[in-house]
Amino acid sequence: MLDRLRVAVVHEWLVDYSGSERVLEQILLLFPQADLYAIVDFLPDELRGFIQHRQVRTSLIQTLPFAKTKFRQYLPLMPLAIEQFDLSGYDLVISSAHAVAKGVLTGPDQLHISYVHSPIRYAWDMQHQYLRESGLEKGLKSWLVRWFLHQMRLWDTRTANGVDFFVANSAFIARRIQKVYRRSAAVIYPPVDVTNFDLCEQKEDFYLTASRFVPYKRVDLIVEAFSQLGDRELIVIGDGGNAKELQAIAGKNVTFLGYLPPTELRKYMQRAKAFVFAAEEDFGITPVEAQACGTPAIAYGKGGVLETVRGLDCDRPTGVFFAEQSVESLKSAIMLFEQECDRIQPSNCRDRAMHFAPERFQQEFSNFIAQAWAARAR
């Protein structure tokens, strides 16, 4: 029945292959007949396989000056741009949203399901953190940005009314949806390609973190904590704008390897004593990937990671949480992990990660859409 529907899939922007794109990939596999829409499409040729080399229908922003490298600067135009997609010819519209995709216009005879990675973080509860990290706490430019974010919240709230059913990528995001839209959301965890990460039960004497170097990832916290501990080796994989600042605060026990291709990253994940994760994420894919390798997580105990890692208070634990984004809290968690690590078995980590396999996502998402379509028909 679902294969006979006329389907449109709307994604924010196509520039790389990361967390939200993995969800998009599975949705397109479920609906090979779907047409794909995006604000912009600048995917390089070598990444177009995950969208099955489809032609993407883009917005007016695609043609604006410097859009390929500066498309995010056009955020004020994106609500208008997303509303210009004519989706009137489709039975089912699926939006994959973390900014504006859910704002597409649909009619009363269409079913609109929005898979939400997060409501617009920097417009809602993370506004003050965004302003602080961007150096926009004071001045005229600060007030202009605050006014724009206020207008974005109004638009974001209004367009929630055009969604028939919300799906959240974690219970944490479902609570955020309830808070900002006053709507309930089903929870369907995103797919993680766990089969690409082989179990390794022999661990070496080093800790690992891997991330983009952006402020909210809190790599600085991890580097500083291990630098203070001194006698525990930390390997840092990733790159970003503040790499030099991180290297400046690092002790001799901290090694930076820069960006590594996925095959090399997996080797380090397999051999690490533990994977350290300090961000507050909506879901958090890398701790799941580490667990797929049989590697425990030492993670900040907030956000989606509470749903993917089993703490020491659980049967068959797979990691340790720290309560605050502070150096002392992380150091205490490292000490606790070393005291209790015998309780955390690589096989249990692997079993936990398998819960997030792509096959599970496809089954749950297709069942949800079938039920939603049936409910609409009644």
Side-chain angles (χ1 to χ4, degrees), residues 169-171 187 189-195 197 199 283-297 303-311 314-321 344-358 360 364:
N169 71 351
S170 65
V187 176
Y189 294 113
V192 182
D193 194 6
V194 291
T195 56
F197 296 81
L199 173 65
F283 175 72
I285 287 177
T286 49
V288 178
E289 294 173 338
Q291 289 176 99
C293 298
T295 300
V305 74
L306 289 173
E307 300 166 55
T308 61
V309 176
R310 296 185 184 277
C314 299
D315 294 333
R316 304 172 67 200
T318 65
V320 173
F321 296 116
I344 304 175
Q345 299 300 313
S347 59
N348 291 339
C349 294
R350 174 73 178 181
D351 289 345
R352 181 60 182 156
M354 294 306 293
H355 177 71
F356 303 99
R360 185 268 325 154
E364 291 183 8

Side-chain angles (χ1 to χ4, degrees), residues 109-335:
D109 295 325
Q110 296 173 289
L111 178 64
H112 179 190
I113 295 175
S114 187
Y115 187 97
V116 177
H117 309 280
S118 177
I120 311 172
R121 302 177 190 88
Y122 37 83
W124 291 101
D125 54 309
M126 296 182 74
Q127 172 187 290
H128 300 293
Q129 178 181 335
Y130 164 73
L131 293 171
R132 185 167 55 252
E133 292 174 352
S134 302
L136 292 170
E137 292 183 280
K138 298 179 181 179
L140 177 60
K141 188 174 181 181
S142 172
W143 283 106
L144 290 173
V145 172
R146 291 171 192 267
W147 178 85
F148 163 68
L149 293 176
H150 173 72
Q151 297 300 314
M152 181 65 81
R153 283 191 290 275
L154 296 176
W155 178 86
D156 195 35
T157 303
R158 178 185 64 76
T159 56
N161 295 324
V163 176
D164 295 297
F165 295 95
F166 280 102
V167 180
N169 71 351
S170 65
F172 174 65
I173 292 304
R175 293 193 297 273
R176 190 175 272 170
I177 290 170
Q178 178 64 43
K179 182 75 173 180
V180 301
Y181 303 144
R182 293 301 175 189
R183 296 281 299 277
S184 61
V187 176
I188 300 178
Y189 294 113
V192 182
D193 194 6
V194 291
T195 56
N196 269 338
F197 296 81
D198 295 329
L199 173 65
C200 178
E201 301 198 2
Q202 300 302 314
K203 302 301 179 182
E204 299 180 18
D205 193 20
F206 69 88
Y207 293 84
L208 174 70
T209 191
S211 172
R212 289 178 293 119
F213 297 163
V214 292
Y216 86 94
K217 295 289 189 179
R218 296 310 312 269
V219 180
D220 61 319
L221 174 65
I222 301 171
V223 170
E224 188 172 349
F226 275 90
S227 297
Q228 290 186 16
L229 290 171
D231 57 349
R232 293 164 177 83
E233 182 183 2
L234 172 70
I235 291 178
V236 182
I237 295 175
D239 56 16
N242 62 339
K244 290 183 178 179
E245 289 86 346
L246 292 173
Q247 291 170 3
I249 64 172
K252 294 181 179 180
N253 59 320
V254 179
T255 302
F256 290 84
L257 299 182
Y259 169 80
L260 292 181
T263 53
E264 292 300 311
L265 172 59
R266 285 196 291 268
K267 292 177 183 178
Y268 282 95
M269 274 190 172
Q270 290 171 321
R271 292 154 38 212
K273 178 187 295 186
F275 183 83
V276 189
F277 187 76
E280 178 186 335
E281 288 280 17
D282 309 324
F283 175 72
I285 287 177
T286 49
V288 178
E289 294 173 338
Q291 289 176 99
C293 298
T295 300
I298 301 174
Y300 175 48
K302 193 171 181 182
V305 74
L306 289 173
E307 300 166 55
T308 61
V309 176
R310 296 185 184 277
L312 293 174
D313 57 338
C314 299
D315 294 333
R316 304 172 67 200
T318 65
V320 173
F321 296 116
F322 55 99
E324 300 175 357
Q325 284 180 315
S326 69
V327 170
E328 291 305 317
S329 185
L330 174 53
K331 285 164 61 178
S332 296
I334 295 166
M335 301 294 192

